[in-house]
Amino acid sequence: MFLSVFDIFKVGVGPSSSHTMGPMVAGGRFLDRLRASPFHAHGLRARLYGSLAFTGKGHATDRATILGLAGFLPESYDHTAAEAALAANRDTGTIHPPGLNVLAFDPDRDLVFDFGPALPGHANGMVIEALDAQGDVLMQETYYSIGGGFVLTAAEHEAVDDKALSEPSPVPFPFRTAVEMLQMAHASGLSIAQMKRRNERRYRSEAEIDAGLARIWQVMNDCISRGLVGDGVLPGGLHVRRRAKGILESLQAERGMNLAPPHTINDWISTYAMAVNEENAAGGQVVTAPTNGAAGVVPAVIRYWLDHVPGASGARVGEFLLTAAAIGGIIKTNASISGAECGCQAEVGSAAAMAAAGLAAVLGGTPEQIENAAEIALEHHLGMTCDPVKGLVQVPCIERNGLGAIKAISAASLALRGDGSHFVPLDAAIETMRQTGRDMHEHYKETSLGGLAVNVPNC
């Protein structure tokens, strides 16, 4: 199954790609199906399962579900219009999706958080139903939000692996593993980014690819910029103060004083990442990279490269993103990028591997050094749990992105000091992450039932 760079990097809205963007996308898909059906529904009902139920309110899943069923989508999200739609829903208990009649939807009655067993396909499951005037079900669909804003129906989820293996690949370089990626790079003489671009050309022109990559970086960089000037307390009840602005001001004040120690560069890197994730926690516009919870790592590493590394050029950001997306696609294909499925190793760990690969590429690394950089970064996130306090993407998530970016840069640097040969293959690290996630107790996979979530005060 081909995963585009624009599948891995998607413009969306915070605080969570799985819990906010996913339910919004699922709602939109159900509306499309309802518009095409012969039924005339009177109302809608949505039932959330697994991690969507346990940490849904902290991740704004309730808001996202209402907005998705009202016709809002992450890529075209309008905050002012969304707030107006939510207020109208509170006042009337109805929603009015484009192309459909007014539908009954009272969140107190029709939005159900089911804290029983998760659905069988994935930890992030939801069922949406269309109801007649008597409350009987006219139509229903099960959706799984599988990480990074990707949404599959139950049937699609069951068929995806068989389909990916049985169908001939539509792209010229159909690597599913890191080994295949390196073999194809060696045989073709192309870089990882060049192969990824050739694959993208199957669906888009060069101009469309370049414009899309430019927009992805623009949204990322704008998010950093907003986060660096944002102030105040983040929503949700933990009373976490935004810190990126204050850290930046302190760093700027130290410039030119010849007093700052070399390790201060880590504070710059962390500040860029924290700026993004503070914006995400506030419900702002971000880019999944590969998820919202890990959205700060890749842009922080790009910003570090552009602002602090001699010879860096904005003209090569596309090369960085294409390389990072190649690694993200391999991880998603063979393991997971979902915190609810494999813990935070699948989110920040994957993001660090992607960022390390991208940085190694623009610093002149060979395909083997790039693969090594990704492996080092992922290996040293293995076993990391997902334990957001109060279900909010704030503690420990914001700082965790900063440390993930630092690890990514260190991994790229170490890999470039070698010739690309190393002991643990990237594919082995990815498989280890998959197995570790499978064996990890559910309390440590985005349910807020273990770890920091139960060992620190959350109110």
Side-chain angles (χ1 to χ4, degrees):
M1 182 175 65
F2 171 68
L3 287 172
S4 168
V5 62
F6 304 112
D7 292 325
I8 298 296
F9 298 116
K10 295 190 289 291
V11 176
V13 60
S16 171
S17 48
S18 294
H19 293 65
T20 314
M21 291 173 60
M24 199 178 292
V25 170
R29 292 191 62 181
F30 190 80
L31 293 179
D32 288 340
R33 185 179 168 193
L34 189 57
R35 292 184 190 102
S37 77
F39 301 116
H40 295 284
H42 174 79
L44 299 172
R45 182 166 59 212
R47 188 179 295 271
L48 307 172
Y49 295 86
S51 180
L52 289 183
F54 281 105
T55 63
K57 290 191 176 180
H59 288 75
T61 306
D62 48 352
R63 289 169 50 93
T65 302
I66 298 167
L67 291 171
L69 293 175
F72 287 80
L73 292 172
E75 62 268 23
S76 57
Y77 181 78
D78 182 312
H79 178 75
T80 301
E83 292 302 317
L86 290 168
N89 176 251
R90 286 193 296 269
D91 292 340
T92 67
T94 64
I95 51 179
H96 192 183
L100 292 167
N101 55 290
V102 175
L103 298 167
F105 190 84
D106 180 351
D108 291 336
R109 178 192 65 216
D110 299 318
L111 183 56
V112 181
F113 289 79
D114 192 318
F115 299 106
L119 296 178
H122 193 275
N124 291 327
M126 64 188 299
V127 175
I128 304 177
E129 299 169 330
L131 311 173
D132 65 15
Q134 287 73 45
D136 295 326
V137 176
L138 295 171
M139 185 177 76
Q140 74 172 34
E141 184 62 85
T142 298
Y143 296 98
Y144 293 111
S145 180
I146 62 172
F150 291 91
V151 172
L152 298 174
T153 65
E156 289 167 345
H157 191 270
E158 291 176 4
V160 65
D161 289 338
D162 292 338
K163 181 179 179 182
L165 291 172
S166 62
E167 285 192 350
S169 174
V171 297
F173 298 102
F175 51 84
R176 290 175 52 88
T177 66
V179 165
E180 292 175 353
M181 178 182 72
L182 293 177
Q183 290 172 342
M184 291 179 189
H186 179 74
S188 67
L190 298 175
S191 70
I192 294 169
Q194 287 170 334
M195 291 192 298
K196 186 66 176 169
R197 181 177 282 272
R198 293 278 185 92
N199 288 348
E200 297 291 337
R201 280 294 306 275
R202 174 67 176 76
Y203 300 96
R204 296 172 177 84
S205 68
E206 288 283 354
E208 289 172 330
I209 295 168
D210 289 338
L213 293 172
R215 179 171 185 253
I216 291 299
W217 171 236
Q218 185 66 57
V219 175
M220 285 180 169
N221 200 34
D222 287 348
C223 186
I224 293 175
S225 298
R226 290 195 309 273
L228 290 175
V229 298
D231 211 345
V233 176
L234 293 171
L238 287 183
H239 308 294
V240 172
R241 295 199 65 85
R242 296 175 71 135
R243 297 163 56 199
K245 178 183 177 183
I247 296 172
L248 176 66
E249 290 172 348
S250 175
L251 290 167
Q252 290 173 330
E254 293 172 1
R255 272 183 164 171
M257 296 178 63
N258 296 321
L259 297 175
H263 63 252
T264 299
I265 189 62
N266 289 332
D267 296 340
W268 284 95
I269 298 163
S270 292
T271 301
Y272 298 144
M274 291 169 62
V276 172
N277 285 85
E278 287 175 355
E279 280 293 292
N280 179 62
Q285 186 183 61
V286 298
V287 174
T288 63
T291 65
N292 284 29
V297 177
V298 168
V301 174
I302 296 176
R303 184 71 173 260
Y304 155 78
W305 171 61
L306 291 174
D307 288 3
H308 300 274
V309 177
S313 169
R316 299 185 66 192
V317 169
E319 179 184 351
F320 189 116
L321 293 173
L322 287 166
T323 306
I327 299 301
I330 291 172
I331 295 173
K332 187 178 186 308
T333 297
N334 295 287
S336 176
I337 58 171
S338 168
E341 193 170 25
C342 283
C344 198
Q345 59 175 353
E347 296 205 31
V348 171
S350 296
M354 292 163 57
L359 182 60
V362 296
L363 292 179
T366 65
E368 289 78 13
Q369 289 172 317
I370 292 167
E371 184 262 358
N372 187 15
E375 185 280 323
I376 294 170
L378 182 61
E379 178 182 343
H380 298 289
H381 284 88
L382 291 176
M384 182 175 283
T385 62
C386 186
D387 50 355
V389 177
K390 204 178 178 182
L392 298 167
V393 192
Q394 298 180 18
V395 179
C397 320
I398 294 171
E399 287 182 352
R400 190 169 283 176
N401 275 257
L403 274 293
I406 291 169
K407 284 186 182 181
I409 294 167
S410 296
S413 183
L414 284 173
L416 292 172
R417 296 288 183 182
D419 61 4
S421 60
H422 54 107
F423 190 78
V424 179
L426 175 59
D427 289 329
I430 293 171
E431 173 59 17
T432 301
M433 184 180 79
R434 187 192 67 81
Q435 293 177 6
T436 303
R438 178 195 62 196
D439 295 340
M440 190 180 287
H441 195 286
E442 294 300 319
H443 284 187
Y444 301 101
K445 293 194 284 189
E446 209 167 6
T447 58
S448 290
L449 295 175
L452 288 175
V454 299
N455 285 301
V456 297
N458 63 11
C459 61

